[in-house]
Amino acid sequence: MKEIELSDPYITPYRGIYAICDSKNEYAEVIEHSNCYGGAAWSKFHYSHSPLILNTRSIGNMIRYKVKTGTSTLELKPSTAAAGIESVIVEGDEVHITYAGLGGGGVGATKCRAFAEGVLRCNYTESGGGRAAKGTIVVPKRERVLIGIDDTDTKEEGATWTLTHNMANALDCNESIYLSHSLVQLFPVSARTQNCVSTVLEFGCVDENAKQELLESVKAALLKYSVSDETGMVVLSDFDAKKINEYSTKCRSGELTKEYALQYAKDNGVDIWLDGNGVIGALAALAWFAQPDDSVKLKAQIE
């Protein structure tokens, strides 16, 4: 028998909790990085009944809640709606998120989230047993930064998806959180290396300085490690990428020119950081951020 010692047997802190906001602070995406997917899946089910929640989805061990900012009244009910998000309030460069829950859901609503990485401040009531509990955490307000990349490899060596993930993982920090990585299947054009797949990276940045440092670092890494002379890197800073949907659909159903890609990027506020032929696929990838299960299917529809 192996005897274990637990510092607190009734707290399982989240790895991190992040809040991405739109430009008007009307909508936010609360992204919870869990250490226990079973508990997070329970929360996903129960939180979906909260009035502020517009939709929920999970990617790996991250649960993502798109919410309407503001305050709501929760009607907590054991077993069916035992926990929820009561309010999401944006104040300056901070986001205040209030959770409530019954029993074990109250433990999750308080200490488990209060002790997550990246939380600036917190307050919470006692939880556990049969109690109803409430907790508020304050996290930095973040901007979504999408980086599309393609053509880092050749027919002889390299793989864009591995390079991009390794770069993103190395650059992951509290100021620029690495949120997702999607491989995007493109129309199999004649110039492809093999599978004709581009990549989109998603980060959450706390301010403009963090974003600029991140992007300069990604560009420098691509120049250092890419084995292709045609690498493309494009950047979109926005809450969503709907403006890229039309282009992405075209790129996944036929062959496009570099000139068309550059003009589309210019017309839709996408910055070109590396202008090799890879910008064609890199631009198409932006529309598929945080949709890795669907982006690999050529016939899938963009959410």
Side-chain angles (χ1 to χ4, degrees), residues 258-273:
K258 178 180 175 181
E259 290 70 28
Y260 179 71
L262 292 173
Q263 188 62 50
Y264 196 98
K266 180 180 179 181
D267 293 344
N268 288 277
V270 177
D271 296 323
I272 307 295
W273 280 67

Side-chain angles (χ1 to χ4, degrees), residues 8-9 15 106 135 149 168 177 198 240 268 297:
D8 193 326
R15 293 192 197 181
I149 299 169
I177 291 291
S198 59
D240 59 47
N268 288 277
K297 307 170 189 174

Side-chain angles (χ1 to χ4, degrees), residues 57 245 248-249 252-253 287-288 291 293-303:
R57 55 181 169 153
N245 288 4
S248 186
T249 298
R252 284 160 57 85
S253 57
W288 290 91
Q291 299 179 64
D293 291 327
D294 291 327
S295 62
V296 295
K297 307 170 189 174
L298 193 57
K299 299 298 183 181
Q301 297 297 310
I302 304 171
E303 291 184 6

